[in-house]
Amino acid sequence: SCPWVDVSAQEKVNQANTPAQAWEVESLFPMFITGGFHIAVGYRYHEFRVRASVIHGGSYNAEKAGIHNSSGEFNRHYKTSPGIFLGYYVWKKLELYTYFEFHTFEIEQKKTGMKKDLFSVDYGGGIGYQFFVGKHLYLQPAFHVYYRKSKGLDFQGATYKIPNVDLSPVIRIGYR
């Protein structure tokens, strides 16, 4: 402690939104715009955070997030699917995290309207920063990289192959 400068006030500001332990509830609110939903409940313990989530994408076409072998002939929609996340705050409110999501996708062939379900265990990593509005409400923009095994579906002669990698910017609104 420096005898000339009182740094305790700044330390209190820095620690105001960083409790040792806290419950959080959050949502990827853009899913509601597409007729879907997302809800997550998390627990923060010092620098660690664990979250469980459920997502349903509504009309959101996740095929656009795929790289390398995404297809313009098909739509890929999230059906109700759970996930588990484990995060670590590396600096202030900057979180690095990993996850497993157990997605069921509805694959739709555009020209025929035929639909089939495809199950995929997606895993990967993300990075996000929590920006607080007041003491409890926060926005967390983040970026995910999803990885998955090669899988495909036959649509009467046309084959759908799910992209092995998705790149996905997200934004959450939450309450701690």
Side-chain angles (χ1 to χ4, degrees):
S1 173
C2 179
W4 324 246
V5 180
D6 181 13
V7 293
S8 62
Q10 182 60 46
E11 288 173 4
K12 288 178 185 174
V13 169
N14 289 342
Q15 293 174 357
N17 294 330
T18 310
Q21 298 179 42
W23 286 98
E24 297 176 341
V25 178
E26 61 186 31
S27 178
L28 298 171
F29 63 89
M31 288 294 117
F32 291 95
I33 296 168
T34 62
F37 63 86
H38 175 270
I39 186 75
V41 176
Y43 187 73
R44 170 106 184 238
Y45 184 78
H46 298 280
E47 286 80 25
F48 293 94
R49 181 164 80 143
V50 64
R51 287 180 283 148
S53 72
V54 176
I55 190 170
H56 187 288
S59 63
Y60 171 71
N61 182 9
E63 190 66 11
K64 296 173 184 177
I67 61 171
H68 298 303
N69 62 335
S70 62
S71 174
E73 297 177 36
F74 296 92
N75 289 324
R76 175 169 43 113
H77 302 283
Y78 290 102
K79 293 181 87 172
T80 304
S81 304
I84 187 80
F85 295 71
L86 178 62
Y88 183 79
Y89 287 86
V90 294
W91 178 74
K92 297 186 181 185
K93 293 168 189 61
L94 180 66
E95 180 189 23
L96 293 178
Y97 50 93
T98 188
Y99 47 82
F100 286 91
E101 294 195 73
F102 305 92
H103 288 138
T104 299
F105 292 107
E106 179 183 75
I107 310 302
E108 177 186 14
Q109 186 178 35
K110 289 180 181 179
K111 71 179 180 182
T112 66
M114 185 185 298
K115 298 176 182 179
K116 293 185 178 185
D117 288 350
L118 185 139
F119 178 76
S120 176
V121 177
D122 295 356
Y123 58 93
I127 184 169
Y129 193 89
Q130 289 179 328
F131 294 95
F132 276 81
V133 179
K135 188 174 180 180
H136 299 287
L137 188 66
Y138 63 86
L139 290 174
Q140 185 178 28
F143 187 79
H144 290 180
V145 179
Y146 290 95
Y147 299 100
R148 65 181 63 90
K149 291 182 180 180
S150 296
K151 289 187 175 190
L153 293 172
D154 180 53
F155 283 83
Q156 298 176 340
T159 302
Y160 171 77
K161 292 184 180 180
I162 193 165
N164 299 107
V165 178
D166 283 355
L167 302 177
S168 182
V170 298
I171 186 161
R172 298 179 189 90
I173 187 168
Y175 185 86
R176 175 185 294 162

